[in-house]
Amino acid sequence: MADTKPEPFLIDVPIPSMGATVNELTIIDVMVNTGDTFAKGDKIAELESDKSVFEFEAPCDGTLQALEVRAGDIVPSGSPFMRIATVDDSLLHLAVKGDAAVVAPQTPSAAPKAASPAATPVPSAAPVPTGPQWTPRAAKLAKEAGLDPVAITDIKATGPGGRVSGDDVAAYLASRATAPVAASAPAALPETDGSAATVCIAGVGYAVPTNVRSTKDVLKEFPGRTEEEMVKLTGIRERRFAGEGETATDLAVIAVGHALEQSGVDIASIDGVIMATIIPDQPVPAMASALAQKLGVPGALAFDLNAACSGWLYALEIGRSLILGGTARNLIVVTAELLSRITNPRDHETAFLFGDGAGAAILTNAADGHRLHRMALSGDANKFSAIQRRGGGANKPWPKPEAIDVDDFYLQVDGPVVFKGAVIAFANEIEDTLRRHNLKPEDIGWIVPHQANERILRAVSKRVGIPFDRFVVTIDKYGNTSGASVSMALGWAAEEEIFQSGDKIIFCSVGAGFTFAGGLLVW
């Protein structure tokens, strides 16, 4: 009697458990798409839990039928992860109950790509059994608004693979006035006079110290860690540290000089200097005033602002508003950070992250040139304590004589909280910008993000559907330079001449506070 070929059946694979103390995991990457086949033990996903990155291996030979998550999602252990068709009867305890059908696998010649919003959805174990798939966040937002996802049939699904995303739900609620738009969706704010107007970025530039500090050097304080491990966690191979006697203002002067040279703007025509920094050379007066003096424009308006890593984008929007309001015609928008001066070399959370640098742009009221659109600014003050430097302010102006509280004068970062919040916030800024300007991911030439952490940026790339090779990434050589990082990445890319005329460039940042910022520049 001939052997009977076993019939495949469906299993629902949950998010793995990582122990009693770990309740949530972040999806960093999923390497398979619906219809892909794989073998037991193949690496098919990457997850993160409290600074530990691990690979998720296929539990069996099978074919992926549906994904219930996307990169950047924060999901509880035991929640739905993926649906697989398999013949491995050792997994019958995960078998789907009911009449769900098995979908045939993709042929090898079909390149696995995210399905378009019009694609026919595969059977799913998500909350919506028919119609488009919903991400966990989208279903949660709908239910919090008192809606049943099953009953919603007219929602636009713009997420990867035709999924309904949390942003789709926010737009759906806003259009029906059934609930307020989420605070993280500044694009829903009504456009008022001037909000759609643009100004010119005439030139950009950046500067870094000559002193290079490699990850191998930093590791001397951490004998239990390896260079491979730290590069995998952060993406940083080296960073620049200012030398003895070198100031943030010195770096700012160099960055502004490059921007002025590129712009062709005469320094004498500058009527304002806006400086974004978290650590000015001295608290009073403003570092912008010191820079104005060094540049030879002592009569220019000059002030500092602190929005941490989002600082330069906040400064761009303030500069745009000052020009459109008639207060200024030609502005220097600059940021400079010497984070090495406030980084604890013995703190494994921060010692590998931060570096020094500066970046600048010349904003003008010219009708031509690179067009800067409105930067959407928002925040989440509930995350106030996630990134802090408690010392140096009025509450604690200097360490006590016994120096027992010196750690408060260093930057302190709650890595897991920052990572979980940053992926979704970065993605929201990008997706909000796309929606504001009626753009699609394929319309975008480049993403110039805050250089927070390469793992974060890779997860953001997956989440928004924009290839990582279209992200301008300089973190490997300069580290995280807080407010300076976006301006430095833009200056580096301009210097490398990778932008083409007409390229649509999206800025995005998440900073301590939390502060959020994002918007469009057309090169």
Side-chain angles (χ1 to χ4, degrees):
M1 182 175 177
D3 291 337
T4 303
K5 186 176 181 180
E7 289 293 325
F9 59 93
L10 297 176
I11 62 172
D12 281 336
V13 179
I15 296 293
S17 173
M18 299 301 294
T21 60
V22 179
N23 299 316
E24 292 182 328
L25 293 93
T26 302
I27 309 300
I28 304 300
D29 196 1
V30 179
M31 292 79 168
V32 290
N33 294 297
T34 301
D36 287 355
T37 60
F38 39 76
K40 182 177 181 178
D42 284 352
K43 176 184 174 181
I44 59 175
E46 190 173 69
L47 296 87
E48 186 267 354
S49 171
D50 293 342
K51 295 295 284 184
S52 175
V53 180
F54 65 95
E55 297 175 353
F56 182 83
E57 297 178 350
C60 58
D61 295 350
T63 301
L64 183 66
Q65 300 288 291
L67 272 173
E68 313 307 336
V69 298
R70 64 169 174 156
D73 280 347
I74 303 166
V75 290
S77 297
S79 61
F81 189 6
M82 59 181 65
R83 178 168 285 187
I84 297 173
T86 185
V87 295
D88 188 339
D89 57 12
S90 69
L91 298 175
L92 281 170
H93 62 288
L94 298 177
V96 175
K97 296 178 175 61
D99 299 324
V102 175
V103 177
Q106 298 264 3
T107 59
S109 61
K113 292 184 179 179
S116 68
T120 303
V122 298
S124 170
V128 188
T130 60
Q133 298 178 56
W134 289 57
T135 67
R137 175 173 172 256
K140 180 181 178 183
L141 289 175
K143 291 175 182 176
E144 286 176 349
L147 301 176
D148 180 3
V150 176
I152 300 175
T153 59
D154 58 342
I155 190 168
K156 185 177 181 181
T158 64
R163 291 173 176 79
V164 176
S165 69
D167 294 328
D168 297 329
V169 175
Y172 180 87
L173 296 175
S175 68
R176 284 154 179 76
T178 57
V181 177
S184 61
L189 294 173
E191 295 285 348
T192 56
D193 289 345
S195 64
T198 63
V199 298
C200 170
I201 287 186
V204 294
Y206 79 106
V208 293
T210 58
N211 181 32
V212 177
R213 185 163 173 78
S214 70
T215 292
K216 187 177 294 186
D217 290 335
V218 179
L219 277 167
K220 293 175 183 177
E221 295 286 345
F222 305 93
R225 299 203 171 215
T226 67
E227 184 175 10
E228 180 182 7
E229 175 192 6
M230 298 318 301
V231 171
K232 181 178 181 180
L233 284 172
T234 65
I236 303 170
R237 297 184 181 279
E238 60 186 37
R239 70 284 293 143
R240 302 297 180 94
F241 278 9
E244 187 69 28
E246 193 170 12
T247 70
T249 305
D250 293 336
L251 290 178
V253 168
I254 298 170
V256 170
H258 292 322
L260 285 168
E261 182 180 3
Q262 187 182 108
S263 71
V265 172
D266 186 346
I267 185 64
S269 70
I270 295 295
D271 42 24
V273 179
I274 306 174
M275 167 66 74
T277 184
I278 66 170
I279 179 169
D281 290 331
Q282 61 186 60
V284 181
M287 187 166 145
S289 296
L291 181 59
Q293 182 187 52
K294 285 199 170 190
L295 293 173
V297 286
L301 69 90
F303 62 93
D304 293 354
L305 66 84
N306 178 355
C309 303
S310 303
W312 193 64
L313 299 185
Y314 270 60
L316 283 180
E317 178 57 21
I318 292 171
R320 189 187 75 94
S321 300
L322 290 175
I323 288 174
L324 293 175
T327 299
R329 298 180 307 278
N330 300 305
L331 289 170
I332 293 170
V333 178
V334 58
T335 177
E337 307 280 24
L338 298 192
L339 301 186
S340 63
R341 307 278 168 87
I342 54 172
T343 298
N344 186 344
R346 292 170 295 280
D347 175 16
H348 68 86
E349 288 279 2
T350 59
F352 297 94
L353 289 179
F354 298 118
D356 302 340
I362 309 301
L363 261 60
T364 79
N365 62 357
D368 55 1
H370 315 311
R371 307 312 300 175
L372 178 70
H373 292 254
R374 176 172 71 87
M375 296 291 105
L377 311 178
S378 60
D380 180 6
N382 289 325
K383 301 296 191 301
F384 177 83
S385 61
I387 307 171
Q388 293 192 83
R389 181 182 180 236
R390 297 182 182 90
N395 286 345
K396 189 175 289 188
W398 49 73
K400 296 175 182 177
E402 58 271 26
I404 61 173
D405 60 348
V406 70
D407 284 354
D408 284 345
F409 290 81
Y410 290 124
L411 282 171
Q412 299 177 29
V413 177
D414 186 336
V417 171
V418 172
F419 187 92
K420 291 174 182 178
V423 174
I424 293 175
F426 271 110
N428 285 347
E429 292 301 331
I430 293 171
E431 292 174 341
D432 289 346
T433 302
L434 292 173
R435 186 165 51 249
R436 261 199 317 279
H437 297 281
N438 296 312
L439 298 171
K440 299 176 182 178
E442 56 267 30
D443 297 327
I444 302 305
W446 299 93
I447 303 292
V448 181
H450 164 51
Q451 309 291 305
N453 177 304
E454 188 175 301
R455 284 189 302 128
I456 290 175
L457 299 182
R458 286 188 180 276
V460 171
S461 167
K462 287 280 187 177
R463 189 172 180 87
V464 301
I466 296 176
F468 190 65
D469 61 9
R470 282 197 265 154
F471 280 59
V472 176
V473 179
T474 58
I475 191 170
D476 60 324
K477 51 184 170 288
Y478 299 137
N480 179 337
T481 56
S482 187
S485 76
V486 176
S487 60
M488 288 171 60
L490 183 69
W492 175 86
E495 193 173 280
E496 293 291 319
E497 300 182 351
I498 67 172
F499 300 145
Q500 301 295 319
S501 178
D503 275 356
K504 294 177 176 64
I505 300 165
I506 291 181
F507 296 135
C508 53
S509 188
V510 179
F514 279 162
T515 58
F516 305 139
L520 179 69
L521 171 68
V522 179
W523 197 257

